[in-house]
Amino acid sequence: MSSTSVLVAGLPCHPNLNATLSSPTPTNTSNAKDGDNLVMKVDGFKWRLVIAYDGTRYAGWQYQSSPPTIQRYVEKALMGATKLERKDLHLVGASRTDKGVHAWGQVAHFVTPFNYDRIESIHAALNGTLPEDIRVREISPAVPEFHARFSAQRKVYHYRIYNDTFMDPFQRHNAYHSAHKLNPAVMREAAKYFIGKHDFSAFVNASQKERVRDPVKDIFRFDVVQMGALLQLEVEGSGFLYRQVRNMVALLLQIGREAVPTDIIPKILATRNRRELAKYSLLAPPQGLCLMAVEYNEDHLRLPPGSPNPSFGRHYTIKSCKLPFY
């Protein structure tokens, strides 16, 4: 078995009213800064969430009271299900998706001072409280050393481009419309320049006052998949800088339009200067981007001893027909 595995997931969740309360076990989380929040060392039981959402109506993942964010709604649902305060949950997400960006495999963790003997009910409670465009696909017990953000080994993003003379109205919220005819073969060839370990300083959106901690990222694959009028750009890497994927896609769009040559990519990478990229392309819109999966070391995905089984949601069945035959 490989050293990493994709954290895959399932479906819905109501607080388990029959939960077994146990004494807390130590949970050591990182003391590093998680954005503006200091992730403190906390004691309790740790739980891992896999979350899917349509980001159209939200100002991204990161918590803020207004305009609404995904984290705000997830925390509100958790507070109702667990009866805990926000400060006690210590909810952390793997990726701070931007305004309008979607996710199929966002990962987060939270902490409770008590254990559950079953978690199907709390899973049902979360999805019963959350808006319809946010769903918890999986909830699992997590080992103390698991951290949704700092334990991540790889992330997979997809960017969808609808390439036709008019936009399919059913795709408008999860794909970018390009009326310019694109050349997928040229884009596929150009995407190879991103593969490998590079300094992506030229592809990060950050002010001069902000210092990127580690601009070197390793891109494992960058595929351009054509499905009729739809182009799906699939990128997998060790991690990504702020708006890095959307900046890479924007340049590939210009290359696909044959406005700039494919070898412009290594030249821009070598400059390590965001202003150089701005000469050729603007930031790609957010609605085409989706966080598909976050991968972790298998040791961080194991279940703690004595923990309940993961919940992937429940299917409901009809045991007998209650309608009369006519």
Side-chain angles (χ1 to χ4, degrees), residues 89-106:
L89 292 168
H90 299 279
L91 180 70
V92 177
S95 180
R96 297 184 215 165
T97 54
D98 208 357
K99 178 181 179 181
V101 174
H102 316 297
W104 173 248
Q106 171 73 284

Side-chain angles (χ1 to χ4, degrees), residues 11 36 134 137 141 181 204 224 244:
L11 305 164
D36 298 327
I134 306 174
R137 296 176 52 217
K181 185 65 176 175
V204 60
V224 179
Q244 178 186 335

Side-chain angles (χ1 to χ4, degrees), residues 156-174:
V156 180
Y157 282 91
H158 287 181
Y159 194 96
R160 292 159 58 93
I161 303 164
Y162 195 79
N163 190 204
D164 207 343
T165 54
F166 63 89
M167 182 61 177
D168 179 346
F170 296 104
Q171 304 269 0
R172 71 189 188 282
H173 290 312
N174 59 11

Side-chain angles (χ1 to χ4, degrees), residues 257-276:
R257 293 165 183 163
E258 300 184 343
V260 293
T262 58
D263 62 1
I264 197 69
I265 293 176
K267 294 176 182 178
I268 293 175
L269 282 169
T271 68
R272 303 179 184 179
N273 189 335
R274 176 66 179 83
R275 293 180 180 178
E276 190 65 24

Side-chain angles (χ1 to χ4, degrees), residues 22-325:
S22 306
S23 59
T25 55
T27 298
N28 297 319
T29 59
S30 172
N31 287 319
K33 281 193 174 182
D34 183 11
D36 298 327
N37 301 321
L38 186 64
V39 182
M40 304 299 293
K41 180 179 178 180
V42 293
D43 293 330
F45 295 88
K46 189 173 282 189
W47 309 93
R48 181 174 58 245
L49 302 172
V50 181
I51 309 167
Y53 49 84
D54 180 337
T56 303
R57 299 192 305 124
Y58 302 99
W61 163 266
Q62 194 72 1
Y63 182 89
Q64 60 184 47
S65 57
S66 181
T69 64
I70 306 296
Q71 184 176 357
R72 178 190 170 194
Y73 276 100
V74 173
E75 285 184 343
K76 183 179 179 181
L78 283 170
M79 289 166 62
T82 64
K83 311 305 180 188
L84 296 173
E85 295 298 319
R86 175 177 180 255
K87 62 181 176 60
D88 300 320
L89 292 168
H90 299 279
L91 180 70
V92 177
S95 180
R96 297 184 215 165
T97 54
D98 208 357
K99 178 181 179 181
V101 174
H102 316 297
W104 173 248
Q106 171 73 284
V107 179
H109 77 257
F110 68 97
V111 178
T112 60
F114 45 77
N115 198 5
Y116 289 99
D117 56 2
R118 297 181 61 188
I119 52 179
E120 289 85 358
S121 293
I122 189 173
H123 192 172
L126 293 177
N127 281 343
T129 305
L130 286 165
E132 290 183 341
D133 48 7
I134 306 174
R135 280 295 173 267
V136 174
R137 296 176 52 217
E138 176 187 338
I139 179 169
S140 307
V143 292
E145 58 267 35
F146 174 81
H147 191 282
R149 182 181 175 196
F150 297 121
S151 299
Q153 302 268 305
R154 300 183 178 206
K155 294 178 183 178
V156 180
Y157 282 91
H158 287 181
Y159 194 96
R160 292 159 58 93
I161 303 164
Y162 195 79
N163 190 204
D164 207 343
T165 54
F166 63 89
M167 182 61 177
D168 179 346
F170 296 104
Q171 304 269 0
R172 71 189 188 282
H173 290 312
N174 59 11
Y176 164 64
H177 178 221
S178 174
H180 293 86
K181 185 65 176 175
L182 300 175
N183 185 336
V186 172
M187 295 172 70
R188 199 171 290 120
E189 192 65 28
K192 294 177 182 178
Y193 284 112
F194 287 123
I195 297 174
K197 192 172 288 188
H198 305 286
D199 184 324
F200 283 96
S201 296
F203 288 83
V204 60
N205 276 33
S207 69
Q208 292 181 345
K209 295 180 181 179
E210 295 175 319
R211 188 177 69 85
V212 178
R213 292 178 194 159
D214 184 9
V216 177
K217 302 298 177 184
D218 198 353
I219 304 299
F220 307 118
R221 68 179 180 94
F222 203 143
D223 300 326
V224 179
V225 181
Q226 187 170 14
M227 300 173 285
L230 194 68
L231 283 180
Q232 186 162 281
L233 279 58
E234 304 177 359
V235 57
E236 179 178 353
S238 60
F240 298 92
L241 303 171
Y242 180 51
R243 294 184 173 175
Q244 178 186 335
V245 176
R246 289 166 62 189
N247 278 316
M248 292 191 296
V249 168
L251 187 56
L252 286 177
L253 279 166
Q254 289 294 80
I255 292 171
R257 293 165 183 163
E258 300 184 343
V260 293
T262 58
D263 62 1
I264 197 69
I265 293 176
K267 294 176 182 178
I268 293 175
L269 282 169
T271 68
R272 303 179 184 179
N273 189 335
R274 176 66 179 83
R275 293 180 180 178
E276 190 65 24
L277 176 64
K279 296 176 182 178
Y280 301 97
S281 63
L282 301 175
L283 184 68
Q287 71 269 21
L289 186 60
C290 183
L291 172 62
M292 295 302 297
V294 184
E295 299 184 15
Y296 297 89
N297 188 289
E298 286 182 350
D299 287 342
H300 286 181
L301 297 182
R302 71 184 189 278
L303 298 179
S307 64
N309 292 325
S311 173
F312 300 96
R314 294 182 292 201
H315 287 286
Y316 295 92
T317 58
I318 300 176
K319 295 182 179 179
S320 61
C321 183
K322 299 184 179 181
L323 293 176
F325 291 100

